Amino acid sequence: MNVVISGLAVVSPYGLGTGPFTAGWRAGRPTAAPGEDPPVARLPELAGDDFTPNRRVRLKERSSALAVGTVGALLAAYDLGDVPAARRGVVLGSALASLDSYLAVSGGSLAGAKPHFIDHNLMPPGIMNYTSSQAAIRFDLRGPNVTVTSGRATGLTALGCARRLVAAGRADVVLAGAFEALSPRRLRLETAADRAPALTGEGCCVFLVETAESAERAGRRVLAAPLALTAGFFPEPDGGRAALHRAVTRALRQAGVTAGDVATVVRGAAAPGRYADDETAVLTDVVPGVPVLDPATRVGDTYGASAAFGVAAAIVEAGAEPPAGVTLVTSIDPDGQVACAVLAPGARVPTPVG
């Protein structure tokens, strides 16, 4: 059974939609907002029914509106009418989703006359699985509903979870992705932790995951096939290089390919520094001389969505003339998470028979 990616929806600083992202990525246009210090890459203003769902009072988090809107954009582009609602799943993740609501509730409890004198409207958005639940309610996704978070590796974690759900027969299709929004709190936290990147970004990528047989029946073109998805953790700061090396070599082994089969690498480290150096060292050792793409230099460091943008960039980069080899997507996060994906371009995925 081949589990593949057959759909893509992206909201990025290039614009609201996969088309603007594709055009902006291939042109290499800058996305930094002029005159802001530190530099940021902001989304266009979120407007319209796709990005301000009807349940406006409940969708208080900007990041939730962003994610739910991107799910809606994917469903508008790909007809899933033939898939029963109970067989449609959703897996969404972020590193800092609900942060603003959670901190507002916590701060209100400490600052109010009594601990329970808080804005109760902020309670639902402060829960981790709020966004995926809202997406399921709005779009009638009654299959498995999962929320994941693993720092910058979240996009690959979500994709791996979706792949397992489909392979196990728990769902016919799964909408999987990751999102992250800009906020003053996020910028302050990154600065305080000395993790402020050269360019801070925001956005959301959602993928349609199903079997190759299902995609063929529905007439959907296969964009890529995740041949392997691995993850790991390093408890000590100096363990990142070894953990990523293990994840990369394990992914190549599980995919049944060698370093010579890798045509492109999409890296996912944060700002230049220790972990970026670790990632560079691993890639130089395992896949020397292979071209490396860095989404953070184009759409900014999208933190929890960065690995998802790595997968989207790999799909867009392959385009109509995919490389002869596979694409390696890597991720390393200062909090201790590492992940790696081996993607085969859609044109290289065998067509199902029967």
Side-chain angles (χ1 to χ4, degrees), residues 1-46:
M1 177 187 295
N2 286 337
V3 179
V4 301
I5 298 170
S6 59
L8 170 65
V10 180
V11 175
S12 72
Y14 286 124
L16 306 182
T18 307
F21 173 74
T22 300
W25 175 270
R26 291 178 176 169
R29 294 199 309 269
T31 57
E36 294 208 48
D37 186 26
V40 296
R42 296 186 184 277
L43 296 173
E45 186 62 30
L46 304 182

Side-chain angles (χ1 to χ4, degrees), residues 160-232:
C161 180
R163 181 173 177 246
R164 291 192 297 274
L165 289 171
V166 172
R170 298 290 302 277
D172 293 337
V173 297
V174 177
L175 283 64
F179 60 97
E180 200 74 82
L182 276 169
S183 71
R185 283 191 176 97
R186 177 187 162 195
L187 293 174
R188 287 199 296 270
L189 285 172
E190 290 182 343
T191 301
D194 197 25
R195 297 181 184 176
L199 177 63
T200 303
E202 60 179 347
C204 179
C205 304
V206 179
F207 308 97
L208 182 59
V209 181
E210 60 184 329
T211 65
E213 292 80 5
S214 171
E216 185 191 33
R217 286 195 301 269
R220 288 186 281 270
R221 183 170 67 92
V222 174
L223 302 179
L227 303 181
L229 288 155
T230 60

Side-chain angles (χ1 to χ4, degrees), residues 40-301:
V40 296
R42 296 186 184 277
L43 296 173
E45 186 62 30
L46 304 182
D49 288 341
D50 284 342
F51 292 93
T52 53
N54 294 333
R55 306 168 83 87
R56 297 184 183 190
V57 174
R58 299 182 67 186
L59 276 173
K60 285 181 174 293
E61 284 274 353
R62 183 170 179 271
S63 61
S64 296
L66 163 64
V68 172
T70 309
V71 169
L74 181 69
L75 292 172
Y78 300 91
D79 182 12
L80 299 183
D82 59 328
V83 182
R87 302 294 298 172
R88 298 194 296 258
V90 59
V91 181
L92 294 176
S94 175
L96 294 174
S98 303
L99 174 72
D100 283 348
S101 293
Y102 178 81
L103 291 180
V105 169
S106 301
S109 181
L110 294 171
K114 293 184 177 180
H116 59 278
F117 286 180
I118 58 176
D119 183 353
H120 67 276
N121 287 320
L122 293 177
M123 290 296 290
I127 299 172
M128 181 179 174
N129 66 341
Y130 170 78
T131 302
S132 60
S133 299
Q134 290 298 309
I137 292 168
R138 178 166 173 77
F139 300 113
D140 200 24
L141 309 173
R142 302 187 191 182
N145 186 299
V146 182
T147 299
V148 298
T149 181
S150 51
R152 286 176 172 80
T154 296
L156 295 184
T157 305
L159 194 57
C161 180
R163 181 173 177 246
R164 291 192 297 274
L165 289 171
V166 172
R170 298 290 302 277
D172 293 337
V173 297
V174 177
L175 283 64
F179 60 97
E180 200 74 82
L182 276 169
S183 71
R185 283 191 176 97
R186 177 187 162 195
L187 293 174
R188 287 199 296 270
L189 285 172
E190 290 182 343
T191 301
D194 197 25
R195 297 181 184 176
L199 177 63
T200 303
E202 60 179 347
C204 179
C205 304
V206 179
F207 308 97
L208 182 59
V209 181
E210 60 184 329
T211 65
E213 292 80 5
S214 171
E216 185 191 33
R217 286 195 301 269
R220 288 186 281 270
R221 183 170 67 92
V222 174
L223 302 179
L227 303 181
L229 288 155
T230 60
F233 182 76
F234 55 99
E236 299 297 332
D238 59 357
R241 184 174 303 189
L244 183 61
H245 194 284
R246 288 193 297 270
V248 171
T249 53
R250 189 167 73 250
L252 293 174
R253 184 173 63 253
Q254 290 181 3
V257 300
T258 67
D261 297 316
V262 179
T264 310
V265 173
V266 184
R267 63 179 300 161
R274 176 179 197 164
Y275 298 105
D277 293 342
D278 286 344
E279 188 176 36
T280 299
V282 170
L283 296 177
T284 301
D285 178 56
V286 180
V287 285
V290 175
V292 178
L293 304 174
D294 187 355
T297 62
R298 303 195 191 185
V299 297
D301 176 18

